[in-house]
Amino acid sequence: MSSFSWLSYSEAERERTRDLISQFSERDTRDELGIGRIRDAFADLLFPGTTTIQTRVKYFLFVPWMYRSLEKKQIPSTKIEAKARQYEVQVIEALLKGGDPEGVIGRYSKGDLQRLPSNIYWAGLDTWNIRRFNGSQNEYHDSLDVYYQLQQEQEDRVGETPHPNWDPALPDPPDEFPDTASFALRKRDAEYLRDRILQAIPDSMLADLLHESELGGTPDFPWEYPNQNHLSDEVKEYLHHARNFSEIMHGATLLYNLMLARKAADEDLIGEYSTKFEKWSQIIGSRQTEFRNWDLNRFWEIVTEASANTPVRMQRFVERWIEIASDSPEELANDDAALQLIERRERRLKGGRARLSNQSALEQWSGEAGTGQLAYRWNTAKTHLEDIFAGLEGE
């Protein structure tokens, strides 16, 4: 049995691990070849505060509205977790009654939901500077008794109040909340979220796009956004490296699945992945000059600055794949060097559970493992942006 544990990592590291765990059931997003740190580095640069399991942007308001309401009632630290759960379940029910179930976290689980929206959005609330308390959600809960005590002590001191846990500029919720709730943003809500993003993460693609009035279609990847000239030079550079990495590493995951199909002697899957790999090789072949001129030193500088830790073995694997894939992509499906590179990488990551060398592990393969091309949380960002744009157009 596999397990995860952490001791003294940062809240961002804990959030990253939780998201990794949540992705185990999503076959097309699994990090089968151990490149997730690079993926997350560019996702954090382009769309800070987002995660793949966020659904709608209004949770960035629901959560602080909830906690601010509970603080006003001075719910003690011993009861805050239970009260917050009741509140969040109430919001789930209100959203479902509103007739817009798409994006409701806990739509099916409701009161049995294991990971609540407040936990999913906790790190993002800090990144967007809506949450002013600097610590984990559990630490926040534990701190509330002291916070109430400080409030009481400073009531008679003119001009002195405890440092707020939430942005004082946060708009008030509608009067009927949380009995009634919807994902639609009032104009004041949309303006607030737009301003938070522009002020807290101004150098991101998320902020650049908020200078527009719409997305200009629904491109599948951020580098397909039509108005590239409206982006900052810094964001354009991030997109250049992110696109190159996404496109060339997609071939490694396709080849891995093709190797599994061959190992399983599944002719249908062999044909499917052979076709996908051929299409990928044609794309890479058409951009061969781009890959050969790719400044990998600058690429690794960006990754290191964003993630602060780049394992040597991961870097070697990526560089070796880029080297052989950018040379003759059309021959890789039967290239011994490429096949051995993938096999060694899987064995390094999974040990005795490597599918390519363990029949029982291979039998648990569903036919698809990590085949989705990296988009760096673009789908989440698009949904958030579309919600904000719709709110800005409102009354």
Side-chain angles (χ1 to χ4, degrees):
M1 178 181 292
S2 299
S3 63
F4 287 87
S5 63
W6 53 73
L7 296 175
S8 58
Y9 297 111
S10 67
E11 179 64 22
E13 286 293 332
R14 288 194 288 268
E15 185 75 12
R16 195 171 285 122
T17 304
R18 293 187 194 105
D19 291 341
L20 171 64
I21 295 170
S22 71
Q23 290 172 28
F24 280 172
S25 61
E26 302 176 34
R27 293 176 297 176
D28 63 339
T29 61
R30 289 176 181 170
D31 179 23
E32 296 287 348
L33 297 177
I35 57 174
R37 187 174 292 275
I38 301 173
R39 173 202 62 207
D40 292 345
F42 281 102
D44 287 340
L45 289 169
L46 294 168
F47 310 112
T50 65
T51 70
T52 57
I53 56 175
Q54 289 176 4
T55 56
R56 304 293 291 271
V57 78
K58 200 168 183 180
Y59 280 109
F60 279 96
L61 297 175
F62 288 156
V63 175
W65 282 344
M66 172 187 74
Y67 275 125
R68 196 169 62 175
S69 172
L70 295 175
E71 283 184 11
K72 287 181 179 178
K73 296 176 182 178
Q74 296 204 344
I75 303 299
S77 292
T78 54
K79 296 182 179 180
I80 188 68
E81 184 176 354
K83 288 291 186 181
R85 170 174 280 277
Q86 292 174 6
Y87 198 113
E88 293 194 72
V89 172
Q90 185 178 359
V91 173
I92 292 171
E93 298 286 359
L95 287 168
L96 293 175
K97 287 178 183 176
D100 184 14
E102 190 66 31
V104 177
I105 300 173
R107 174 180 177 181
Y108 301 108
S109 303
K110 297 176 183 165
D112 295 327
L113 183 63
Q114 294 299 306
R115 190 174 179 194
L116 295 163
S118 59
N119 186 262
I120 291 171
Y121 284 76
W122 189 258
L125 286 162
D126 175 58
T127 302
W128 291 11
N129 203 23
I130 296 172
R131 170 168 62 86
R132 301 299 173 83
F133 176 85
N134 183 23
S136 70
Q137 191 174 15
N138 286 336
E139 289 168 340
Y140 165 70
H141 290 167
D142 292 341
S143 75
L144 285 176
D145 287 344
V146 174
Y147 180 74
Y148 301 146
Q149 184 178 351
L150 287 173
Q151 279 186 318
Q152 185 66 39
E153 291 175 354
Q154 295 175 354
E155 272 186 358
D156 298 329
R157 301 178 189 175
V158 179
E160 287 189 27
T161 56
H163 183 74
N165 291 320
W166 306 97
D167 179 17
L170 181 74
D172 290 329
D175 292 339
E176 63 273 16
F177 182 80
D179 296 322
T180 302
S182 88
F183 286 126
L185 295 172
R186 300 169 298 177
K187 190 168 185 178
R188 76 190 77 166
D189 299 334
E191 289 173 341
Y192 171 77
L193 291 172
R194 177 198 61 193
D195 293 346
R196 281 290 82 234
I197 292 169
L198 292 176
Q199 293 174 30
I201 49 173
D203 299 326
S204 65
M205 185 172 182
L206 197 63
D208 278 0
L209 293 178
L210 279 173
H211 291 294
E212 307 295 314
S213 58
E214 60 180 6
L215 280 177
T218 55
D220 292 330
F221 298 98
W223 46 87
E224 293 177 350
Y225 173 67
N227 298 322
Q228 295 282 318
N229 59 330
H230 293 183
L231 304 176
S232 69
D233 290 341
E234 189 173 30
V235 168
K236 288 178 185 176
E237 182 185 27
Y238 295 155
L239 280 179
H240 162 71
H241 291 286
R243 177 185 181 181
N244 284 354
F245 183 74
S246 172
E247 290 186 346
I248 204 155
M249 295 310 299
H250 190 214
T253 60
L254 291 176
L255 181 56
Y256 172 60
N257 280 269
L258 176 56
M259 293 168 68
L260 292 175
R262 288 171 175 169
K263 192 79 174 177
D266 188 318
E267 294 300 326
D268 290 338
L269 287 175
I270 290 173
E272 177 185 340
Y273 284 113
S274 294
T275 299
K276 289 181 177 180
F277 194 81
E278 183 179 355
K279 290 180 179 178
W280 168 82
S281 67
Q282 291 171 355
I283 292 171
I284 299 304
S286 69
R287 300 188 68 235
Q288 215 160 19
T289 301
E290 177 75 27
F291 287 110
R292 287 175 177 170
N293 294 330
W294 188 8
D295 186 352
L296 284 177
N297 288 331
R298 178 56 185 151
F299 169 78
W300 289 118
E301 284 178 4
I302 293 171
V303 172
T304 302
E305 289 169 3
S307 68
N309 184 9
T310 307
V312 173
R313 289 194 178 97
M314 178 186 70
Q315 185 169 341
R316 288 175 180 168
F317 165 69
V318 168
E319 289 182 344
R320 179 58 179 150
W321 175 260
I322 292 171
E323 179 185 358
I324 58 180
S326 59
D327 184 33
S328 301
E330 68 282 354
E331 300 176 3
L332 287 184
N334 297 299
D335 182 85
D336 287 341
L339 299 174
Q340 290 171 13
L341 180 66
I342 298 296
E343 187 171 1
R344 285 196 305 268
R345 183 60 178 168
E346 190 202 28
R347 193 182 312 119
R348 171 69 64 180
L349 293 172
K350 301 178 183 178
R353 298 301 300 166
R355 297 187 183 104
L356 290 171
S357 56
N358 183 313
Q359 183 61 32
S360 66
L362 177 64
E363 290 171 357
Q364 296 177 31
W365 176 53
S366 63
E368 182 179 17
T371 57
Q373 186 178 338
L374 301 179
Y376 308 102
R377 306 183 204 142
W378 172 236
N379 287 333
T380 299
K382 280 195 299 185
T383 302
H384 289 354
L385 289 164
E386 287 164 356
D387 282 350
I388 292 174
F389 288 142
L392 291 172
E393 292 177 358
E395 294 297 328

